[in-house]
Amino acid sequence: MSESAAVQTLEKPLTPLEESASRAAELASLLSNRRGERHVVAIQDFPDPDAISAGLAYLEIARRFGIEVDVMYDGKISHPENLALVNLLELHLVLYEEGMALEGYNAAVFVDNQGTTTHLTERLAAAGVPTLAVIDHHDPQGVLDPIFSDVRPVGAAATLISEYLESGELLVLDPDNEAHVRLATALMHGLHSETDGFVHARAPEYRAAAYLSRFMDSVLLERVLCVQKSHATLRIIEEALRRRVVRSGFSVAGVGCVRLADRDAIPQAADFLLTEENVHTVIVYGLLEDGDEGREVISGSLRTNKATLRVDRFLKDCLGNDPTGRPYGGGRARAGGFEIDVGFLTGDDDDDEQQRLKWALFDRRIRRKIFEAAGVEDLDDVVGEEGAKG
């Protein structure tokens, strides 16, 4: 073999599966030196199936290395499918409560996020818990400094985890092991959710699904997927349909005040509005009320089928950062979300008229920011007033 041919052979890039096997081996080496530790997996404040399944996967993987793991979130699980996933698969997730001692954890692991969609990031940093690993499929955020990082633009975090498992470096799934069957079922749900029922799946997701199909419980998955929508969800979808403003393919809808328990109706409404003809991008948002903490935030979801729209960049440019420099929004291909704390305008003693005026202010400003970022003609006062009605 000539010298040039040898160099070409050495420089041949790894295939996606080879890269995942290499990453899995690296993680296995790292975890083998962490036996006896206690780790916390930080998932997004409002966990979706991809985050939940990836968190469960790390728990099962770490168990093999003698590491105790808690999968934790600092928000609420309200989407019917997510609740069904947790309940039917008997998954134990830890809800962060004020004053909870985080100092007892030796390390933190972030899956399906990079610290920008969970309030646990600041809490863990304040408790002095170092970041061990980040496994995510969104655009790089540059917030955390982990020892191990695998951030790649695949369809789901479940894709990366499934490739780890297929390599056999971290854990070998057993079809007769009930915990492994639950894990494979959860990961399949994560793939299904992130790819809109595999409509937007690519080769890595199909390979992952083919692998997981050997271990999953299809009957259980069907029960998770066939959950009916609540009356509150249908009401918010109806409100989004009534209040939407469509300009140049962008459909924007402010749905008013939304209970924290109904927060996941916002992305469901966005999914529904995206089915309208001549619409390529949808943004739905509402004023989320957390009665327990007395905190109010504008929570929103973006859905798009426009290939040239860079969701993460669009939301960051549109909404900017909070006073600490943390972006209000972010996302991945075809989907994104944002959360804006309304701060001093929050008030437990607001009457109906004060709430209406407050919402009118937020609704008008956010609509204008969105359309300006999209390069679409600004809304006039008449449209703004119509959007505030309700």
Side-chain angles (χ1 to χ4, degrees):
M1 180 183 297
S2 67
E3 182 177 347
S4 60
V7 170
Q8 289 178 1
T9 301
L10 290 174
E11 293 180 350
K12 182 180 179 181
L14 297 175
T15 67
L17 286 177
E18 289 172 337
E19 183 173 0
S20 286
S22 175
R23 300 286 181 93
E26 180 185 348
L27 183 57
S29 176
L30 180 62
L31 295 181
S32 65
N33 294 317
R34 298 274 177 160
R35 294 184 183 277
E37 290 191 350
R38 187 176 177 223
H39 294 178
V40 57
V41 175
I43 56 179
Q44 56 201 240
D45 287 343
F46 299 93
D48 62 16
D50 194 27
I52 293 170
S53 65
L56 175 63
Y58 186 82
L59 185 151
E60 290 296 333
I61 288 168
R63 180 177 294 165
R64 179 195 162 205
F65 293 90
I67 299 170
E68 181 183 347
V69 171
D70 286 328
V71 180
M72 186 177 294
Y73 65 105
D74 185 9
K76 192 174 185 65
I77 300 175
S78 56
H79 193 296
E81 274 189 25
N82 300 344
L83 288 170
L85 176 68
V86 172
N87 294 334
L88 291 174
L89 271 63
E90 300 179 356
L91 308 181
H92 177 63
L93 304 182
V94 177
L95 172 62
Y96 175 82
E97 297 180 358
E98 198 64 43
M100 186 177 287
L102 298 176
E103 294 82 0
Y105 293 106
N106 301 103
V109 174
F110 292 78
V111 296
D112 194 34
N113 77 94
Q114 298 169 53
T116 58
T117 55
T118 170
H119 286 88
L120 290 172
T121 306
E122 292 82 8
R123 300 187 192 281
L124 290 166
V129 181
T131 301
L132 178 71
V134 171
I135 301 170
D136 189 32
H137 67 113
H138 298 93
D139 290 344
Q141 304 296 316
V143 173
L144 301 170
D145 184 24
I147 296 174
F148 173 87
S149 178
D150 189 2
V151 178
R152 284 182 278 158
V154 295
T159 308
L160 299 174
I161 296 292
S162 298
E163 290 179 352
Y164 290 174
L165 297 175
E166 188 172 8
S167 74
E169 295 284 351
L170 289 163
L171 179 69
V172 177
L173 294 185
D174 179 356
D176 296 322
N177 184 310
E178 185 178 348
H180 291 182
V181 171
R182 287 200 301 268
L183 172 56
T185 305
L187 288 169
M188 186 69 86
H189 189 204
L191 291 173
H192 185 277
S193 172
E194 289 297 290
T195 61
D196 297 327
F198 288 95
V199 172
H200 299 292
R202 293 174 293 177
E205 285 68 57
Y206 285 115
R207 283 196 302 265
Y211 168 71
L212 295 172
S213 67
R214 294 153 48 188
F215 309 98
M216 60 167 282
D217 184 333
S218 57
V219 175
L220 190 57
L221 179 61
E222 184 178 22
R223 290 179 63 192
V224 172
L225 293 173
C226 294
V227 176
Q228 294 179 320
K229 288 181 171 60
S230 68
H231 291 298
T233 296
L234 292 176
R235 180 187 61 78
I236 291 170
I237 291 175
E238 179 185 20
E239 197 73 3
L241 187 62
R242 185 171 68 84
R243 297 193 184 202
R244 77 197 187 286
V245 176
V246 180
R247 296 288 180 92
S248 301
F250 283 83
S251 180
V252 179
V255 295
C257 297
V258 177
R259 294 186 312 146
L260 182 63
D262 301 322
R263 184 260 183 195
D264 277 320
I266 292 174
Q268 292 183 75
D271 289 333
F272 180 81
L273 292 189
L274 192 59
T275 63
E276 184 175 6
E277 63 180 353
N278 299 322
V279 167
H280 58 68
T281 301
V282 172
I283 301 177
V284 177
Y285 54 90
L287 180 60
L288 206 63
E289 301 175 302
D290 186 348
D292 294 333
E293 295 188 7
R295 177 172 169 261
E296 291 181 337
V297 298
I298 298 292
S299 180
S301 289
L302 181 153
R303 297 291 185 268
T304 186
N305 53 31
K306 185 177 182 180
T308 57
L309 183 69
R310 298 178 59 196
V311 174
D312 191 70
R313 188 72 267 154
F314 176 84
L315 288 175
K316 285 180 169 60
D317 290 343
C318 174
L319 302 173
N321 303 330
D322 68 12
T324 69
R326 177 178 181 153
Y328 284 121
R332 54 181 171 80
R334 302 184 309 278
F338 56 90
E339 184 176 288
I340 305 171
D341 198 318
V342 303
F344 71 94
L345 289 180
T346 298
D348 294 332
D349 57 349
D350 286 352
D351 58 26
D352 290 343
E353 179 62 13
Q354 287 176 314
Q355 279 290 86
R356 189 190 72 78
L357 292 173
K358 185 164 61 176
W359 169 249
L361 172 64
F362 297 150
D363 189 26
R364 185 176 303 180
R365 289 197 65 184
I366 291 175
R367 283 175 187 265
R368 284 179 172 171
K369 281 183 174 291
I370 290 170
F371 281 113
E372 286 173 6
V376 178
E377 183 182 358
D378 290 348
L379 295 175
D380 56 31
D381 289 340
V382 174
V383 173
E385 301 237 352
E386 289 177 351
K389 292 178 181 179

